[in-house]
């Protein structure tokens, strides 16, 4: 059964890796609903959060294909039950309308919008939440001269990840053969590989 | 070791600047150009042979190569695709990493087919491409192309180097990634400024570890135990193996497993030479044009043990009719292969060189001769309907199979057979005899016509003491025919056997069987191949008669140097057995 899955990928920082990951989806003609990249809690390790609407069987295969990439440390996939997630939306609304119409002001209060910029001509509000919440506010603001709208990709925390940080560290330490590199260039990869 | 902080790429003017301020002299550290560092790295990695083609953006590398000719042998191909296939042939014959040089733009795009072929057939290869100056990247400069994005889907790893200080680490990483784990092609794109830039060269350290890369999954004993339990309880177990056994150099571990278990074993076309053809438990070839028994009995075995193979659709036929009755044990080094096409009852992740001995230890010694007898029964049926008429045809027309039979009689299974793609490939691999590993070199996954001629050249460099016979169809030969010039210039002793039916035979066969004989653009008017060979100073002859066949093959093999033998075979012969596309393996047709 197809449903929404959130894929979390831990990677090194390497030019071209985004394309390599995206390729795994495009090759199978899978639409990426949202994609976010950010640093993780581990130094020099980046984290991608990708949302797709697919079957569990396919997700299992996708995640293995992703993990196979040289610069990927680990990839996980979770259902919405297993994560806490947020998206951020920005709304640009004419200031005079908010000033004149009480209903608009009430809407903004109801949806927990915060003003991030107030000017004479327009005001920018920010709302974070699930897709339905930000969509709903978009819908109700539309009749009141909404000027611009933008929404970020999903960011998500895996609920059952209390030991995750430890596991990532363990994964890093475990190396079959245990022969630790003496290559000075590789030990200082950040300094060497950044372009 | 100075200057480690990130800096933007330099242009040539800064290189002069750089050399004017050399680092304080330390005995271990030399100042070298990026291009020369590449030479040093290649030598340190044990590379002796490079296949390549020069051009504008890779000229600094070729300039240094001129000085290193005594240590690095460069083979000038006639098209960059030829360089990749030659490197593949080299890698497959020797087990070493094949190395390719090409320039930017068209030089790099010409590598794509070979990279894709090496990717799908897991061949270790390092390609080094020149690139325009870093400050010209993205400006549509002359011969500038986005090599990184073009090659991403067809490389195991790729990397662009714009600063010579990154080169040593990138080279070490490239060789490490190409040859470890499931091998594959790697590409390093080096901008011209990085090739010219002077920087420190410290003694070369090979890469032994990468933070995010696990070449081999850690072997989990519980899965070995589960697999052994299934095998010990099986009544009709069946081993199917692929190239993983060869890539893991686990031929003897595999043989021990096969012999102790007593289980019949069949091969994919890339796995074939891992177990000698005449081994009593080798029951033949799997897949679309494989043997009758291995296909039919796949759907009658109770435990299917897949080793280092990936259940390609040409092996499995229709998946929902594939071995549904069997429990599946799947051994593979690449975790993404387990459950990809066929769901495994037990997936044993790991290098088969490590997992097979563990498994051999845990299984009971068995004799499955009654079950093997069923393969032999199927073989008798196949011999009567297919093999006998193919190997000993009664009519006047030569068959591909009898050519291979005669070749076997002369080489005694000791030659490396390099095949192209099509009918001749299936016939050659079906009937060729292989006594030792790494003897069969073919384009399996990608099915690249034009593979054989350059791959045979590479194979000869990879295994100079062995006889290399390239078996090629008349179609594929013309796709890389220009590489005859390499054979001429470098005096490469390869034997070229053209099985010529003046047709694109495999497509014609499908048109005959599935498209009502509508022979749409498969008829070929071919040139005089012997005359062409003569133009390249390569001896050769054409034969059409049976009585000339064996003497001609013998003359070809005994000839001192390269030789082209053009054999006219039956125009409309078909390859059987055949599992038609969309059918299950048990629906294999004998005619």
């Amino acid at each position: 059964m197809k449903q929404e899955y959130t894929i979390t990928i831990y990677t090194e920082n390497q030019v071209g890796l985004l394309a390599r990951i995206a390729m795994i989806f495009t090759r199978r003609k899978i639409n990426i609903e949202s994609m976010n990249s950010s640093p993780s809690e581990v130094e020099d390790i980046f984290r991608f959060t990708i949302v797709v609407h697919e079957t569990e069987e396919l997700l299992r295969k996708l995640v293995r294909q992703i993990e196979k990439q040289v610069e990927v440390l680990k990839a996980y996939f979770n259902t919405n039950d297993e994560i806490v997630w947020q998206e951020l939306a920005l709304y640009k609304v004419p200031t005079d309308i908010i000033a004149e119409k009480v209903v608009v002001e009430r809407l903004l209060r109801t949806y927990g919008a915060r003003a991030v910029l107030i000017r004479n001509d327009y005001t920018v509000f920010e709302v974070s939440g699930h897709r339905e919440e930000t969509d709903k506010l978009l819908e109700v603001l539309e009749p009141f001269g909404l000027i611009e709208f933008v929404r970020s990709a999903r960011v998500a925390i895996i609920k059952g990840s209390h030991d995750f940080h430890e596991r990532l560290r363990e994964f890093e330490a475990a190396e079959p053969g245990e022969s630790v590199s003496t290559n000075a260039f590789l030990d200082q990869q950040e300094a060497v590989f950044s372009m | 070791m100075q200057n480690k902080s990130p800096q933007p790429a330099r242009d040539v003017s800064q290189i002069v600047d750089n050399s004017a301020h050399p680092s304080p002299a330390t005995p271990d550290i030399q100042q070298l150009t990026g291009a020369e560092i590449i030479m040093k790295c290649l030598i340190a990695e044990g590379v002796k042979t490079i296949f390549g083609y020069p051009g504008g953006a890779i000229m600094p590398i070729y300039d240094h190569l001129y000085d290193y000719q005594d240590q690095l042998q460069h083979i000038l191909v006639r098209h960059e695709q030829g360089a990749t296939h030659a490197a593949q042939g080299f890698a497959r014959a020797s087990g070493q990493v094949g190395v390719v040089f090409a320039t930017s733009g068209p030089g790099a795009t010409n590598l794509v087919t070979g990279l894709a072929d090496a990717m799908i057939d897991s061949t270790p290869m390092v390609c080094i491409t020149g690139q325009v100056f870093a400050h010209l990247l993205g400006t549509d400069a002359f011969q500038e192309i986005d090599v990184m994005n073009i090659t991403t889907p067809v490389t195991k790893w790729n990397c662009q180097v714009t600063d010579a200080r990154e080169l040593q680490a990138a080279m070490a990483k490239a060789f490490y990634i190409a040859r470890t784990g499931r091998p594959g092609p790697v590409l390093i794109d080096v901008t011209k400024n990085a090739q010219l830039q002077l920087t420190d060269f410290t003694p070369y350290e090979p890469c032994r570890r990468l933070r995010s890369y696990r070449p081999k999954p850690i072997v989990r004993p519980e899965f070995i135990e589960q697999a052994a339990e299934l095998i010990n309880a099986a009544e009709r177990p069946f081993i199917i193996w692929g190239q993983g056994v060869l890539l893991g150099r686990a031929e003897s571990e595999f043989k021990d497993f096969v012999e102790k278990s007593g289980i019949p074993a069949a091969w994919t076309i890339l796995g074939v030479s891992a177990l000698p053809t005449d081994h009593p438990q080798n029951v033949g070839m799997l897949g679309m044009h494989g043997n009758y028994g291995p296909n039919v009995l796949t759907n009658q075995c109770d435990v299917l043990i897949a080793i280092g193979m990936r259940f390609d659709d040409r092996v499995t036929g229709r998946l929902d009719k594939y071995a549904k009755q069997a429990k599946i044990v799947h051994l593979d080094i690449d975790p993404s292969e387990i459950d990809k096409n066929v769901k495994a009852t037990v997936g044993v992740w790991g290098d088969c060189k490590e997992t097979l001995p563990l498994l051999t230890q845990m299984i009971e010694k068995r004799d499955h001769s009654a079950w093997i007898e069923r393969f032999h029964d199927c073989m008798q049926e196949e011999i009567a309907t297919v093999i006998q008429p193919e190997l000993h045809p009664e009519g006047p027309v030569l068959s591909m199979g009898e050519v291979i039979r005669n070749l076997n009689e002369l080489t005694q299974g000791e030659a490396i057979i390099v095949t192209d793609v099509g009918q001749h490939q299936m016939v050659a691999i079906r009937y060729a005899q292989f006594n030792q590993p790494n003897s069969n070199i073919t384009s399996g996954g990608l099915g690249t016509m034009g593979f054989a001629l350059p791959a045979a050249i590479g194979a000869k460099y990879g295994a100079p003491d062995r006889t290399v016979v390239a078996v090629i169809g008349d179609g594929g030969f013309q796709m890389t025919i220009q590489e005859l010039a390499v054979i001429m210039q470098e005096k490469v002793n390869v034997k070229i056997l053209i099985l010529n039916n003046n047709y694109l035979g495999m497509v014609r066969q499908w048109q005959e069987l599935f498209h009502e004989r509508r022979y749409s653009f498969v008829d070929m008017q071919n040139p005089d191949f012997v005359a062409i060979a003569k133009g390249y100073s390569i001896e050769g002859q054409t034969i059409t008669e049976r009585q000339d066949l064996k003497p001609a093959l013998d003359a070809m093999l005994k000839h001192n140097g390269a030789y082209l033998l053009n054999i006219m075979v039956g125009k409309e012969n078909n390859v059987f057995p055949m599992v038609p596309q969309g059918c299950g393996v048990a629906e294999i047709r004998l005619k």
Side-chain angles (χ1 to χ4, degrees), chain A residues 11-12 14-16 19-20 23 27-28 42-45 57 60-61 64-65 67-73 169-176 179-186 188-195, chain B residues 1 4-7 148-149 151-153 155-162 165-166 168-170 172-173 176-177 182 202 205-214 216 218 334-341 349:
Chain A
T11 74
E12 292 197 55
Q14 170 94 23
V15 177
R20 229 169 232 288
M23 184 190 84
R27 185 177 175 195
R28 289 170 183 247
V42 185
E43 204 185 331
D44 296 336
I45 298 297
E57 195 198 345
R60 205 173 292 283
K61 289 176 188 175
R64 283 188 185 167
Q65 294 288 343
E67 274 193 354
K68 185 171 159 176
Q69 304 306 317
V70 169
E71 279 105 359
V72 172
L73 278 94
R169 288 255 176 242
E170 267 171 38
F171 177 81
E172 280 240 79
E175 163 68 6
S179 51
V180 176
S181 168
T182 48
N183 188 330
F185 286 92
L186 288 173
Q188 296 173 35
Q189 199 191 45
E190 191 193 27
V192 179
F193 272 86
S194 53
M195 292 173 190
Chain B
M1 301 302 289
K4 296 296 280 298
S5 63
Q7 277 181 14
M148 293 296 289
N149 273 312
T151 59
T152 293
T155 51
K156 184 175 174 186
W157 183 75
N158 60 359
C159 164
Q160 187 173 61
V161 178
T162 54
R165 289 168 300 164
E166 300 162 3
Q168 211 171 331
K173 208 172 158 182
Y176 177 64
I177 293 169
R182 179 175 178 176
T202 50
E205 281 287 344
C207 175
R208 292 189 192 92
R209 179 183 191 276
L210 289 173
R211 190 178 189 182
S212 56
Y213 172 63
R214 295 292 170 270
K216 300 176 194 176
I218 294 164
D334 178 356
S336 72
E337 287 300 341
I338 312 261
D339 294 342
K340 187 183 82 178
N341 294 333
W349 298 7

Side-chain angles (χ1 to χ4, degrees), chain B residues 570-590:
Chain B
K571 261 185 94 64
E572 297 193 45
N573 290 9
N574 286 336
V575 187
F576 280 109
M578 181 174 192
V579 181
Q581 202 168 31
C583 293
V585 280
E587 295 167 74
I588 186 165
R589 287 168 60 172
L590 282 172

Side-chain angles (χ1 to χ4, degrees), chain B residues 160-192:
Chain B
Q160 187 173 61
V161 178
T162 54
D163 184 328
R165 289 168 300 164
E166 300 162 3
L167 256 177
Q168 211 171 331
M171 289 291 289
K173 208 172 158 182
F175 276 89
Y176 177 64
I177 293 169
R179 71 164 174 259
T180 54
R182 179 175 178 176
V186 164
L187 181 138
I188 302 187
D189 194 37
V190 189
T191 56
K192 199 166 179 180

Side-chain angles (χ1 to χ4, degrees), chain B residues 28-324:
Chain B
D28 281 354
I29 297 173
Q30 298 169 269
Q31 283 263 308
L32 300 176
T33 62
E36 191 163 10
I37 286 175
I38 292 174
M39 302 301 132
K40 295 274 188 197
C41 293
L42 291 173
I43 292 164
E45 282 288 348
V47 173
K48 294 192 175 61
T49 310
I50 298 158
F51 303 92
Y53 205 101
I58 197 169
M59 286 185 67
I61 289 176
Y62 272 86
D63 189 50
H64 281 285
L65 186 58
Y66 191 75
D67 296 328
Y68 282 86
Q69 286 179 71
D70 54 332
Q71 295 169 78
L72 293 168
Q73 179 184 28
H74 179 274
I75 311 302
L76 176 67
V77 294
R78 294 303 188 269
H79 184 287
E80 290 86 351
Q81 184 191 350
T84 55
H85 295 326
Q88 286 182 279
F90 175 87
R92 299 264 289 272
S94 68
Q96 310 291 311
V97 179
V99 179
V100 171
F101 283 175
T103 193
S104 66
T109 56
N110 280 344
L111 301 180
V112 171
T113 305
L115 286 169
D117 195 288
M119 185 72 177
I120 199 162
D121 283 350
S122 311
T123 311
M125 179 158 87
V126 171
C127 295
I128 294 165
T129 49
Q131 180 57 284
V132 299
F133 286 88
H135 70 270
L136 293 174
L137 287 170
T139 64
D140 302 322
F142 177 66
Q143 293 192 330
E144 188 226 342
I145 198 78
D146 184 355
V147 174
M148 293 296 289
N149 273 312
I150 285 180
T151 59
T152 293
V154 290
T155 51
K156 184 175 174 186
W157 183 75
N158 60 359
C159 164
Q160 187 173 61
V161 178
T162 54
D163 184 328
R165 289 168 300 164
E166 300 162 3
L167 256 177
Q168 211 171 331
M171 289 291 289
K173 208 172 158 182
F175 276 89
Y176 177 64
I177 293 169
R179 71 164 174 259
T180 54
R182 179 175 178 176
V186 164
L187 181 138
I188 302 187
D189 194 37
V190 189
T191 56
K192 199 166 179 180
N193 58 297
Q195 297 172 37
L196 294 166
Q197 182 189 341
L198 273 167
T199 190
D200 295 341
F201 179 75
T202 50
Y204 185 79
E205 281 287 344
C207 175
R208 292 189 192 92
R209 179 183 191 276
L210 289 173
R211 190 178 189 182
S212 56
Y213 172 63
R214 295 292 170 270
K216 300 176 194 176
I218 294 164
V219 178
R220 301 262 297 272
E222 65 268 35
F223 294 126
I224 303 270
E225 280 167 33
Q226 288 170 25
E229 259 172 53
L230 282 180
I231 294 167
N232 287 335
E235 285 174 13
R236 294 179 312 283
F238 181 27
I239 295 169
I240 55 178
W241 90 85
Q243 198 192 190
V245 176
L246 293 164
L247 293 171
R249 294 181 187 153
E251 298 90 356
S252 73
E253 289 82 356
F254 177 65
K255 191 158 168 276
D256 291 347
F257 172 71
V258 168
E259 288 176 353
K260 186 176 177 192
S261 69
I263 301 172
W267 38 271
T268 73
I269 62 164
L270 288 181
V272 55
S273 59
L275 193 70
T277 309
D278 54 10
H279 190 281
Q281 280 166 263
N282 185 341
V283 294
M285 173 171 156
L286 294 161
M288 186 173 267
H289 293 290
N291 291 113
Y292 187 56
N295 276 301
V296 170
L297 298 175
T298 293
N299 279 6
Q300 294 181 30
C301 67
D302 58 356
V303 175
L304 189 65
I305 306 139
I307 304 171
M309 58 84 73
R310 59 188 177 83
F311 292 106
D312 178 78
D313 62 288
R314 285 295 193 267
V315 162
T316 63
R318 231 175 104 159
L319 273 177
D320 58 1
K321 292 185 180 175
Y322 183 78
K324 284 293 160 195

